[in-house]
Structure formats: structure tokens, C-alpha cells
Amino acid sequence: MLEVQDVTAGYERRAPVFREVSLTVAPGEAVGLLGPSGCGKSTLARVAALLHRPDSGRVTIDGTAAGGWRHRAPRAQRTAFGVVFQQPRLSADPRLRLADLVAEPLRANGRSAEVAETVRELTARVGLGAELLGRRPHEVSDGQLQRACLARALVLRPRWLVCDEMTAMLDASTTAALVAVVEEYRAESGAGLLAVGHDRVLLERWCDRTVQWGDLGDLGDLGASLTK
């Protein structure tokens, strides 16, 4: 179970984006988090994936409380998550070729021996042609780069996937292809999914259940105004 319990979070020198928000995702479950742009969904997703320290509250992963945030999180908890962000160009190192972008988590976790085979298998799975693997982010389209980012998110075989507006910048065919990859991976691995977005139709078709942002708790002045 992935549990976010009574979490308050924001950014330095600013009032909290939201207060005392709770959300759960069961093993193997796909939960859609629906809300307008700017309401705080991405902040909550980052807290859930151990990428942003909340001001208060607790995150529990598979029955164990989070032991830290970002690089301070225990490796076993940190690598339990695969995250895909909305804007691939902001989440990809522009200096890396796509093959190295996908392989980065393996190398960072001392698994360099697996790089060649794993990168070959995953890039084919996400529909990224071998001729693109030597290119850098500025040499490929947004859709091609997002395919590489999804492969990177899957490379450590996470138990939990967080897709934060993953398809917002993509056309319909690429959106369908990447959602299919996520679902194929979930079917074989039993991974849980938190899919964040503002497209109700997509989330309701994709997920087992969809949660409206305004129903989560005390959203603060900004969150409350955006959900009215």
C-alpha cells in the first residue's frame, strides 16, 4: 500500500500549497488524481514519490514509513518508484544520449552490467527505434523524448509508478502507446499507479478509480479557489 496521510506541503517562504491531504493506492491499483492546472497535484505526486519533503504528515510505502526524501531516502524505498513528468525536456539531462538517459538509474545503483540488454529491451518496448538512441534530447521530438523518459522510469522495475501529466504534451497516438506500455508493465509486475492529470476522460478510462482534487482535504486558499 502507498499511503499519504495528513500531508501538508509547500515551498520555502510560501504558504502551504495544501494542508492535511490524504490519498492511498493499493498494490496493483491504478488511481487517477484529477484537478485543474496549478492546484497542487504535482506537489502531492512528488511527495508520494519521495521527491519533495512535506511540512508535516506521513508517507508509508508497503507498510514502512518513508525514511527520507530525494537522495536521503533509503535506496530500497527510492528505487521502488518510477516517475514520469509532464515536460520531458525539464527532466532529461540535455548532455546525455537517449541510451544513457535510460541507463542512468542502473549505473547510479551499481548495475552497469545490465545496461546493454535492459536498455535494448526497454527502448524497443516503448517504441523508441535503435537509430534514435545515440541522439541527445534536442535532436528528438517531445514524444520520442517522453518514450525515453518512460523507459528510464521502468528500468529498475519499480513497484509504484507516478505519472504526472505524462501525456499532456503528446498527440493522441503517442498517448495511447505510452498508456499501453504502462498497463502492460503493470499487468506483468503488479505495480500500483498514481496518474495525475486534468483530462477526466483519459483518467477514467485508464484508472480503476479517479479521485477529484477538491475531495482530498484542506487545500489551502490556492487549491480551494482552483477547484471552485
Side-chain angles (χ1 to χ4, degrees), residues 157-176:
R157 296 194 61 80
R159 299 192 304 278
W160 302 98
L161 290 173
V162 177
C163 296
D164 182 11
E165 301 271 15
M166 178 182 77
T167 64
M169 301 179 66
L170 307 180
D171 59 34
S173 62
T174 305
T175 293

Side-chain angles (χ1 to χ4, degrees), residues 84 122-128 142-144 146-148 150-151 154 161 163 166-167 170-186 202 206:
V84 189
L122 272 178
T123 52
R125 186 171 191 170
V126 299
L128 201 60
D142 287 342
Q144 290 165 337
Q146 193 68 306
R147 290 175 190 268
L150 176 56
L154 299 178
L161 290 173
C163 296
M166 178 182 77
T167 64
L170 307 180
D171 59 34
S173 62
T174 305
T175 293
L178 295 193
V179 168
V181 171
V182 170
E183 288 307 288
E184 181 183 41
Y185 174 76
R186 291 183 57 242
L202 173 63
W206 186 2

Side-chain angles (χ1 to χ4, degrees), residues 196-218:
V196 176
H198 58 265
D199 185 335
R200 179 182 296 273
V201 173
L202 173 63
L203 291 181
E204 290 184 347
R205 289 180 177 176
W206 186 2
C207 300
D208 300 315
R209 62 184 174 95
T210 300
V211 179
Q212 179 72 41
W213 176 252
D215 296 335
L216 290 181
D218 183 351

Side-chain angles (χ1 to χ4, degrees), residues 22-172:
S22 298
L23 179 69
T24 62
V25 184
E29 183 184 29
V31 175
L33 178 55
L34 176 69
S37 297
C39 67
K41 304 186 307 298
S42 292
T43 301
L44 180 61
R46 291 177 64 83
V47 170
L50 308 185
L51 295 176
H52 182 77
R53 177 188 289 276
D55 299 328
S56 63
R58 185 172 64 175
V59 175
T60 304
I61 306 104
D62 302 318
T64 302
W69 310 93
R70 298 186 68 85
H71 63 281
R72 296 184 182 275
R75 178 178 292 185
Q77 291 186 338
R78 189 172 66 244
T79 59
F81 290 92
V83 185
V84 189
F85 299 100
Q86 176 179 355
Q87 300 186 54
R89 299 195 186 280
L90 297 181
S91 61
D93 188 332
R95 301 167 296 179
L96 295 181
R97 293 178 173 85
L98 297 193
D100 295 319
L101 176 71
V102 176
E104 188 178 22
L106 288 172
R107 293 188 172 121
N109 285 277
R111 295 167 56 179
S112 296
E114 303 172 36
V115 164
E117 181 179 354
T118 304
V119 169
R120 183 169 54 251
E121 187 271 330
L122 272 178
T123 52
R125 186 171 191 170
V126 299
L128 201 60
E131 73 279 3
L132 298 175
L133 299 186
R135 298 184 187 180
R136 291 182 170 84
H138 72 275
E139 298 174 313
V140 298
S141 69
D142 287 342
Q144 290 165 337
L145 185 55
Q146 193 68 306
R147 290 175 190 268
C149 290
L150 176 56
R152 177 181 60 182
L154 299 178
V155 77
L156 294 178
R157 296 194 61 80
R159 299 192 304 278
W160 302 98
L161 290 173
V162 177
C163 296
D164 182 11
E165 301 271 15
M166 178 182 77
T167 64
M169 301 179 66
L170 307 180
D171 59 34

Side-chain angles (χ1 to χ4, degrees), residues 16-21 39-40 212-225 227:
V17 176
F18 53 79
R19 303 180 185 91
E20 298 184 354
V21 164
C39 67
Q212 179 72 41
W213 176 252
D215 296 335
L216 290 181
D218 183 351
L219 305 180
D221 295 338
L222 175 61
S225 66
T227 54

